[in-house]
Amino acid sequence: MSTDRRAGEPAPSGTRTPDGDPASPSRGSAEHSDAPQAVQPTPGSPADGDGAPAEHTGAASGAEPDAPAPGGPHTPDGEAATTPPGGAEQPGEPQAAPSAPAAPVTEGAEAAPGAEPAPAPGSPKSAVAEALAAAVRAVESGERSAASFFTEAPRPARKAAPARPPRPAATAPAPAAAPLIGAEGLAGVREVLAAGGAPESLAIPVAEALGEQAAEALREDPWQLLAVPGVRPEQADGFARALLGPEAGPGDERRARALTGRVLERAALEGHTVLEAPALRAALARHAVPDPDEALQSAIAEGTVLVFQEAVEPAQGAPAPQGEDEEVPVRLLLGLDRCAMAEESLADGLARLISTFAAGPEEWEPAAAAAPSPSAAELIRAAASAGLVTHTGGEAARAEPAALVAAARSLGLRAYAAVHTEDGRRRLAATGDPEAVTVAGLLSGAEGPGRDEDGALALDLLAVLDAPQLDVETAAMLVESLADGTRLALSGDPAVLWSAGPGRVFADVVAARVCPAVVSRTPDEGPVGELVSGIGIGELSQPAAPGKEVVIVPVRDPGEAVHRTVQLVADSIPRAIGVPAEHTQVITPGHGGPAGTRALNAALKERLNPGPGRFGGFDPGDRVAYVPAPGRMLPGTVTGAEPEGLRLDCGGSPVLVPRERVAEAVRHGWAVTAHQAAGTRWPAAVVVLPGDAASTLTRSWIYTAFGRAERHLSVVHGVDQALPRAVAEVPAKERTTRLRALLQAQERPSE
């Protein structure tokens, strides 16, 4: 790789920077950063649900505390909110109820999607709830098997589609609406908040989270304040103590229920759709719940969470259970109804597409024979004979689903390709499909063919590109919108980061092996393509880069990282590579810290578009990251402002962001995180790896960040050997999901 030198150091001959200056050869050999290493949660541990994963936030020092965002528990960047290291919720630290009121603080005004008030204490328990509670007690004690307690047997494979009523048109995710509560109701909420020592600014978020009876709900159960994103357990404890007095102890049943829901909401931010029972009990114990077992049983009985059982696969080399009498080990999984039901709906919908498909492969053979590549021909033949197909490949392989859509249209079928970003549409148009739509536009009806009289999308074939970005709720909505017999092709790069929302849909469908899987043999070309392809298989290579396509810039500390990044974007890359600053994207692991997006954006604005920020912190010409819904980021530029809000240009489309949403939904966008950047590519990318992010790096993060560059990649490298170690040893952060098991159960014959 080409390299750059440290400021003030002589460089040996033989290599040059983008400017043509001599540079020192380096690949993962920079001096160890002298920046303090951030305290991190245990990697891969979702136990308390409060440590955001590296793939979402990356850098640790200065990370955002529990920041809420438009439409749900995400930051304004479409990423999971985090608790800062050293903050009130360090993993492993008990969270005792404080002895004095602590004023809850939040940074926004919107509630988590699907959050509902906990059931009122003392309400009667249903027979099913009692059975579920008994199941947990007996299974965890070893008294009996889980299967003997559950009321639902494993579902047999569905060989024929059941009759379904007409479906209403699905809609794309939209920002939360204003609370349906009048002035009198808001006054009541403010009164309760004041009595508990909470700030009046929480009134609207509380109303949005708890509904019209918010004041009464808070009086009866003060811990329902935890339904508001950004409120921490110790703050809710102080609020409850101020309202209830000495009876507001850590063992209160209402507190345990609210904490259970919060832990699962935080787990959903990390991508989990469910948690194992031991992990949930451990999280409750860390929050000083005296009897986590009893608390968990109560939460199940009251319907705060749903409980499931799943067979445990035997370890590699272990003998499989023999005979009908031998017990199959199971694990208990608990989750929020919105995630669990979305996963159930998605599994049912995919099974429906498989079972209602009518093959006609002979009709497709001429189109397959005329395909532009062997991999495209294989994909066309697979789609001709199956209702569901997966397709994996890199950037160059995007031409293959485009060829599939063209083949279907040549046969007179209604076929569309769907992507997640406007840039994805641009790149797909370059492969010959100018009619591609976005997933959000397709679901909302703003793009694509519209819906038939039954509410289903008027499609015979749908190819979804960048499928790893599908979260389980969006995927369920999309599949439910497809009529029986529709062909669905899920295509994507399996090495990129998973969705910002819960689930790992594409990975689970591939792993379930319930449909044909086509693996592209079309490689990504050029030095950047060679580098990224190697990372995908765990190898950090040093490709030849005669045109300075890949440059390494070693730095010693975060301050130098910011300085060199600004220098690269503003001077070096435009002069040596010919890519202007507005077409160069900076990518860094996290928002906080001395080299996070905030610090980098401040430095880049000062250099590239200085101004007073007279429009809510923004000036005309500022690059921004606009998030219309959680998990979706639109790059844009500020064009002006008016009393109604901030005007943006997002990929040539004018956007007006309402004034009240600017602070939540818009950030400066010269620097973004890898999750924000996923689905988009730029002519040049500068990936910043500060020393305090070393412990958060994963192969999937590095692969995604490096792969955002089309022509040129600069790596501001301050993590020493953490870069090759992450590529070789840390594939991705694990997520606990049920989709794979649900799909495999659908395929098993009925007993």
Side-chain angles (χ1 to χ4, degrees), residues 455-473:
L457 291 168
L459 286 171
D460 299 305
L461 181 146
L462 177 65
V464 180
L465 282 74
D466 300 318
Q469 292 184 50
L470 279 175
D471 63 80
V472 69
E473 292 171 292

PDB file of all heavy atoms in Angstrom, residues 455-473:
ATOM      1  N   GLY A 455     -54.187  -5.281  -1.608  1.00  0.00           N
ATOM      2  CA  GLY A 455     -53.202  -4.589  -0.783  1.00  0.00           C
ATOM      3  C   GLY A 455     -51.789  -5.097  -0.961  1.00  0.00           C
ATOM      4  O   GLY A 455     -50.865  -4.578  -0.335  1.00  0.00           O
ATOM      5  N   ALA A 456     -51.600  -6.125  -1.806  1.00  0.00           N
ATOM      6  CA  ALA A 456     -50.251  -6.645  -2.045  1.00  0.00           C
ATOM      7  C   ALA A 456     -49.563  -5.817  -3.119  1.00  0.00           C
ATOM      8  O   ALA A 456     -50.210  -5.205  -3.979  1.00  0.00           O
ATOM      9  CB  ALA A 456     -50.317  -8.107  -2.470  1.00  0.00           C
ATOM     10  N   LEU A 457     -48.234  -5.789  -3.087  1.00  0.00           N
ATOM     11  CA  LEU A 457     -47.485  -5.095  -4.124  1.00  0.00           C
ATOM     12  C   LEU A 457     -47.727  -5.772  -5.466  1.00  0.00           C
ATOM     13  O   LEU A 457     -47.733  -7.005  -5.560  1.00  0.00           O
ATOM     14  CB  LEU A 457     -45.984  -5.113  -3.791  1.00  0.00           C
ATOM     15  CG  LEU A 457     -45.568  -4.274  -2.584  1.00  0.00           C
ATOM     16  CD1 LEU A 457     -44.134  -4.589  -2.175  1.00  0.00           C
ATOM     17  CD2 LEU A 457     -45.713  -2.785  -2.878  1.00  0.00           C
ATOM     18  N   ALA A 458     -47.935  -4.975  -6.499  1.00  0.00           N
ATOM     19  CA  ALA A 458     -48.237  -5.505  -7.833  1.00  0.00           C
ATOM     20  C   ALA A 458     -46.952  -5.978  -8.493  1.00  0.00           C
ATOM     21  O   ALA A 458     -46.422  -5.361  -9.423  1.00  0.00           O
ATOM     22  CB  ALA A 458     -48.924  -4.435  -8.677  1.00  0.00           C
ATOM     23  N   LEU A 459     -46.427  -7.094  -8.001  1.00  0.00           N
ATOM     24  CA  LEU A 459     -45.133  -7.613  -8.437  1.00  0.00           C
ATOM     25  C   LEU A 459     -45.216  -9.108  -8.679  1.00  0.00           C
ATOM     26  O   LEU A 459     -45.956  -9.824  -7.998  1.00  0.00           O
ATOM     27  CB  LEU A 459     -44.066  -7.361  -7.365  1.00  0.00           C
ATOM     28  CG  LEU A 459     -43.537  -5.944  -7.193  1.00  0.00           C
ATOM     29  CD1 LEU A 459     -42.672  -5.863  -5.949  1.00  0.00           C
ATOM     30  CD2 LEU A 459     -42.731  -5.541  -8.418  1.00  0.00           C
ATOM     31  N   ASP A 460     -44.411  -9.571  -9.640  1.00  0.00           N
ATOM     32  CA  ASP A 460     -44.194 -11.004  -9.826  1.00  0.00           C
ATOM     33  C   ASP A 460     -42.819 -11.413  -9.321  1.00  0.00           C
ATOM     34  O   ASP A 460     -42.608 -12.573  -8.961  1.00  0.00           O
ATOM     35  CB  ASP A 460     -44.318 -11.381 -11.306  1.00  0.00           C
ATOM     36  CG  ASP A 460     -45.702 -11.061 -11.854  1.00  0.00           C
ATOM     37  OD1 ASP A 460     -46.687 -11.544 -11.257  1.00  0.00           O
ATOM     38  OD2 ASP A 460     -45.792 -10.319 -12.851  1.00  0.00           O
ATOM     39  N   LEU A 461     -41.878 -10.475  -9.317  1.00  0.00           N
ATOM     40  CA  LEU A 461     -40.526 -10.749  -8.820  1.00  0.00           C
ATOM     41  C   LEU A 461     -39.963  -9.494  -8.179  1.00  0.00           C
ATOM     42  O   LEU A 461     -40.085  -8.397  -8.744  1.00  0.00           O
ATOM     43  CB  LEU A 461     -39.608 -11.222  -9.956  1.00  0.00           C
ATOM     44  CG  LEU A 461     -38.164 -11.561  -9.571  1.00  0.00           C
ATOM     45  CD1 LEU A 461     -37.628 -12.724 -10.415  1.00  0.00           C
ATOM     46  CD2 LEU A 461     -37.227 -10.359  -9.727  1.00  0.00           C
ATOM     47  N   LEU A 462     -39.371  -9.659  -7.030  1.00  0.00           N
ATOM     48  CA  LEU A 462     -38.694  -8.561  -6.333  1.00  0.00           C
ATOM     49  C   LEU A 462     -37.289  -9.009  -5.958  1.00  0.00           C
ATOM     50  O   LEU A 462     -37.119 -10.048  -5.318  1.00  0.00           O
ATOM     51  CB  LEU A 462     -39.451  -8.156  -5.070  1.00  0.00           C
ATOM     52  CG  LEU A 462     -38.793  -7.063  -4.216  1.00  0.00           C
ATOM     53  CD1 LEU A 462     -38.731  -5.743  -4.976  1.00  0.00           C
ATOM     54  CD2 LEU A 462     -39.533  -6.874  -2.889  1.00  0.00           C
ATOM     55  N   ALA A 463     -36.297  -8.232  -6.360  1.00  0.00           N
ATOM     56  CA  ALA A 463     -34.911  -8.472  -5.962  1.00  0.00           C
ATOM     57  C   ALA A 463     -34.494  -7.371  -5.000  1.00  0.00           C
ATOM     58  O   ALA A 463     -34.521  -6.186  -5.359  1.00  0.00           O
ATOM     59  CB  ALA A 463     -33.989  -8.485  -7.181  1.00  0.00           C
ATOM     60  N   VAL A 464     -34.152  -7.729  -3.771  1.00  0.00           N
ATOM     61  CA  VAL A 464     -33.740  -6.760  -2.761  1.00  0.00           C
ATOM     62  C   VAL A 464     -32.224  -6.809  -2.642  1.00  0.00           C
ATOM     63  O   VAL A 464     -31.655  -7.825  -2.250  1.00  0.00           O
ATOM     64  CB  VAL A 464     -34.384  -7.054  -1.394  1.00  0.00           C
ATOM     65  CG1 VAL A 464     -33.927  -6.029  -0.362  1.00  0.00           C
ATOM     66  CG2 VAL A 464     -35.900  -7.050  -1.504  1.00  0.00           C
ATOM     67  N   LEU A 465     -31.566  -5.719  -3.019  1.00  0.00           N
ATOM     68  CA  LEU A 465     -30.114  -5.632  -2.900  1.00  0.00           C
ATOM     69  C   LEU A 465     -29.740  -5.050  -1.543  1.00  0.00           C
ATOM     70  O   LEU A 465     -30.560  -4.433  -0.868  1.00  0.00           O
ATOM     71  CB  LEU A 465     -29.536  -4.776  -4.026  1.00  0.00           C
ATOM     72  CG  LEU A 465     -29.426  -5.466  -5.402  1.00  0.00           C
ATOM     73  CD1 LEU A 465     -30.780  -5.615  -6.067  1.00  0.00           C
ATOM     74  CD2 LEU A 465     -28.477  -4.697  -6.320  1.00  0.00           C
ATOM     75  N   ASP A 466     -28.478  -5.235  -1.151  1.00  0.00           N
ATOM     76  CA  ASP A 466     -28.012  -4.790   0.164  1.00  0.00           C
ATOM     77  C   ASP A 466     -28.892  -5.378   1.250  1.00  0.00           C
ATOM     78  O   ASP A 466     -29.234  -4.724   2.254  1.00  0.00           O
ATOM     79  CB  ASP A 466     -27.989  -3.260   0.275  1.00  0.00           C
ATOM     80  CG  ASP A 466     -27.077  -2.619  -0.752  1.00  0.00           C
ATOM     81  OD1 ASP A 466     -25.979  -3.154  -0.965  1.00  0.00           O
ATOM     82  OD2 ASP A 466     -27.461  -1.610  -1.355  1.00  0.00           O
ATOM     83  N   ALA A 467     -29.281  -6.650   1.080  1.00  0.00           N
ATOM     84  CA  ALA A 467     -30.207  -7.305   2.005  1.00  0.00           C
ATOM     85  C   ALA A 467     -29.709  -7.367   3.445  1.00  0.00           C
ATOM     86  O   ALA A 467     -30.545  -7.418   4.352  1.00  0.00           O
ATOM     87  CB  ALA A 467     -30.537  -8.711   1.502  1.00  0.00           C
ATOM     88  N   PRO A 468     -28.385  -7.385   3.730  1.00  0.00           N
ATOM     89  CA  PRO A 468     -27.975  -7.363   5.141  1.00  0.00           C
ATOM     90  C   PRO A 468     -28.484  -6.157   5.912  1.00  0.00           C
ATOM     91  O   PRO A 468     -28.523  -6.183   7.140  1.00  0.00           O
ATOM     92  CB  PRO A 468     -26.439  -7.364   5.054  1.00  0.00           C
ATOM     93  CG  PRO A 468     -26.138  -8.070   3.772  1.00  0.00           C
ATOM     94  CD  PRO A 468     -27.230  -7.622   2.842  1.00  0.00           C
ATOM     95  N   GLN A 469     -28.899  -5.088   5.232  1.00  0.00           N
ATOM     96  CA  GLN A 469     -29.410  -3.913   5.930  1.00  0.00           C
ATOM     97  C   GLN A 469     -30.869  -4.045   6.337  1.00  0.00           C
ATOM     98  O   GLN A 469     -31.410  -3.171   7.015  1.00  0.00           O
ATOM     99  CB  GLN A 469     -29.240  -2.676   5.049  1.00  0.00           C
ATOM    100  CG  GLN A 469     -27.793  -2.262   4.835  1.00  0.00           C
ATOM    101  CD  GLN A 469     -27.694  -0.984   4.028  1.00  0.00           C
ATOM    102  OE1 GLN A 469     -28.348   0.004   4.318  1.00  0.00           O
ATOM    103  NE2 GLN A 469     -26.879  -1.005   2.997  1.00  0.00           N
ATOM    104  N   LEU A 470     -31.525  -5.126   5.950  1.00  0.00           N
ATOM    105  CA  LEU A 470     -32.915  -5.330   6.340  1.00  0.00           C
ATOM    106  C   LEU A 470     -33.000  -5.726   7.805  1.00  0.00           C
ATOM    107  O   LEU A 470     -32.464  -6.764   8.201  1.00  0.00           O
ATOM    108  CB  LEU A 470     -33.548  -6.437   5.494  1.00  0.00           C
ATOM    109  CG  LEU A 470     -34.061  -6.090   4.092  1.00  0.00           C
ATOM    110  CD1 LEU A 470     -34.525  -7.362   3.402  1.00  0.00           C
ATOM    111  CD2 LEU A 470     -35.173  -5.064   4.145  1.00  0.00           C
ATOM    112  N   ASP A 471     -33.679  -4.929   8.621  1.00  0.00           N
ATOM    113  CA  ASP A 471     -33.964  -5.361   9.986  1.00  0.00           C
ATOM    114  C   ASP A 471     -35.226  -6.206   9.964  1.00  0.00           C
ATOM    115  O   ASP A 471     -35.968  -6.242   8.972  1.00  0.00           O
ATOM    116  CB  ASP A 471     -34.117  -4.170  10.924  1.00  0.00           C
ATOM    117  CG  ASP A 471     -35.293  -3.288  10.550  1.00  0.00           C
ATOM    118  OD1 ASP A 471     -36.434  -3.642  10.897  1.00  0.00           O
ATOM    119  OD2 ASP A 471     -35.078  -2.243   9.902  1.00  0.00           O
ATOM    120  N   VAL A 472     -35.499  -6.896  11.064  1.00  0.00           N
ATOM    121  CA  VAL A 472     -36.563  -7.891  11.053  1.00  0.00           C
ATOM    122  C   VAL A 472     -37.940  -7.257  10.879  1.00  0.00           C
ATOM    123  O   VAL A 472     -38.829  -7.833  10.226  1.00  0.00           O
ATOM    124  CB  VAL A 472     -36.491  -8.751  12.338  1.00  0.00           C
ATOM    125  CG1 VAL A 472     -36.860  -7.953  13.575  1.00  0.00           C
ATOM    126  CG2 VAL A 472     -37.368  -9.975  12.231  1.00  0.00           C
ATOM    127  N   GLU A 473     -38.152  -6.061  11.407  1.00  0.00           N
ATOM    128  CA  GLU A 473     -39.465  -5.428  11.282  1.00  0.00           C
ATOM    129  C   GLU A 473     -39.728  -4.951   9.854  1.00  0.00           C
ATOM    130  O   GLU A 473     -40.822  -5.146   9.311  1.00  0.00           O
ATOM    131  CB  GLU A 473     -39.582  -4.285  12.289  1.00  0.00           C
ATOM    132  CG  GLU A 473     -39.616  -4.772  13.724  1.00  0.00           C
ATOM    133  CD  GLU A 473     -39.509  -3.646  14.740  1.00  0.00           C
ATOM    134  OE1 GLU A 473     -38.444  -3.021  14.843  1.00  0.00           O
ATOM    135  OE2 GLU A 473     -40.508  -3.392  15.427  1.00  0.00           O
TER     136      GLU A 473
END
